[in-house]
Amino acid sequence: MAKKIAGVVKLQLVSGQATPNPPVGPSLAPYMINIPEFIKSFNAQTQDQPGLVVTTVVTCFADRSFSFEVKSPPTAVLLKQAARIAKGSGEPNRNKVASVTPEQIKEIAQTKLPDLNTVSLESAMQMVRGTARSMGITITG
């Protein structure tokens, strides 16, 4: 028999650096799961990607147990890392802040492909290009 789900929480956390401080503690406390156990298992699972922001989906069950799935980093984080910038443009239609190559776009699309709602690499690359455009990042070549 399947466990009854009490709630599902999406968090964006830094790999290997989760703490009981916000956003983890306040988000998971209403479901009364063992937060130190979650933090320990999350940090152990993500220690190979230090400093990278990842999306985590935590499923909390009625019996106070939990399961979680670590997804790929947000596209904006991967683009900022590829372009070596701290943040995107405040006015992306006027001010361009950086540029990336088509090879970098393809690499990011391959990383994101399992978490996107497409199976085509070309469609995934188009989604990454759209995010880059909205951040003020140009694609050279």
Side-chain angles (χ1 to χ4, degrees):
M1 189 167 146
K3 294 181 181 181
K4 184 177 182 215
I5 296 175
V8 178
V9 179
K10 275 186 164 182
L11 300 169
Q12 286 192 351
L13 304 171
V14 179
S15 301
Q17 298 177 8
T19 63
N21 300 330
V24 177
S27 299
L28 298 179
Y31 303 105
M32 295 189 286
I33 66 167
N34 188 343
I35 293 173
E37 183 183 328
F38 166 75
I39 291 169
K40 183 179 175 184
S41 56
F42 172 80
N43 287 341
Q45 186 173 337
T46 60
Q47 67 185 358
D48 59 333
Q49 315 167 327
L52 200 58
V53 176
V54 292
T55 302
T56 307
V57 180
V58 184
T59 306
C60 305
F61 299 105
D63 66 352
R64 296 185 181 175
S65 62
F66 66 90
S67 68
F68 68 95
E69 179 183 4
V70 178
K71 299 194 177 259
S72 60
T75 307
V77 170
L78 295 173
L79 282 167
K80 288 190 294 186
Q81 186 179 27
R84 295 183 178 94
I85 57 174
K87 65 178 197 169
S89 173
E91 297 179 322
N93 55 342
R94 293 189 184 127
N95 302 331
K96 303 300 179 188
V97 292
S99 64
V100 292
T101 64
E103 292 79 28
Q104 289 173 313
I105 294 288
K106 185 175 183 180
E107 184 180 313
I108 293 169
Q110 287 172 335
T111 303
K112 291 294 295 176
L113 194 58
D115 295 330
L116 295 176
N117 59 356
T118 183
V119 292
S120 164
L121 181 61
E122 187 55 44
S123 296
M125 288 173 63
Q126 209 48 31
M127 290 179 196
V128 174
R129 285 187 200 109
T131 303
R133 187 173 28 257
S134 71
M135 292 176 66
I137 298 173
T138 58
I139 298 147
T140 58

Coordinates of all heavy atoms in Angstrom, one line a residue, residues 47 50 69 115 136:
Q47 N 27.3 16.4 -2.7 CA 28.6 16.9 -2.4 C 29.6 16.9 -3.6 O 30.6 17.6 -3.6 CB 29.3 16.1 -1.3 CG 29.6 14.6 -1.6 CD 30.1 13.9 -0.4 OE1 30.2 14.4 0.6 NE2 30.3 12.6 -0.7
P50 N 29.9 21.0 -5.7 CA 30.0 22.1 -4.7 C 29.7 23.5 -5.2 O 30.1 23.9 -6.3 CB 31.4 22.0 -4.1 CG 32.2 21.4 -5.3 CD 31.2 20.5 -5.9
E69 N 14.1 14.3 -4.5 CA 14.7 14.1 -5.8 C 15.5 15.4 -6.2 O 14.9 16.5 -6.1 CB 13.6 13.9 -6.9 CG 14.1 13.7 -8.3 CD 13.0 13.6 -9.3 OE1 11.8 13.7 -8.9 OE2 13.3 13.4 -10.5
D115 N 15.1 17.1 -17.3 CA 14.1 17.8 -16.5 C 13.2 18.7 -17.3 O 12.3 19.3 -16.8 CB 14.8 18.7 -15.5 CG 15.6 17.8 -14.5 OD1 15.1 16.7 -14.2 OD2 16.6 18.3 -14.0
G136 N 19.8 38.9 -21.2 CA 20.7 39.8 -21.8 C 22.0 39.2 -22.2 O 23.0 39.8 -22.3

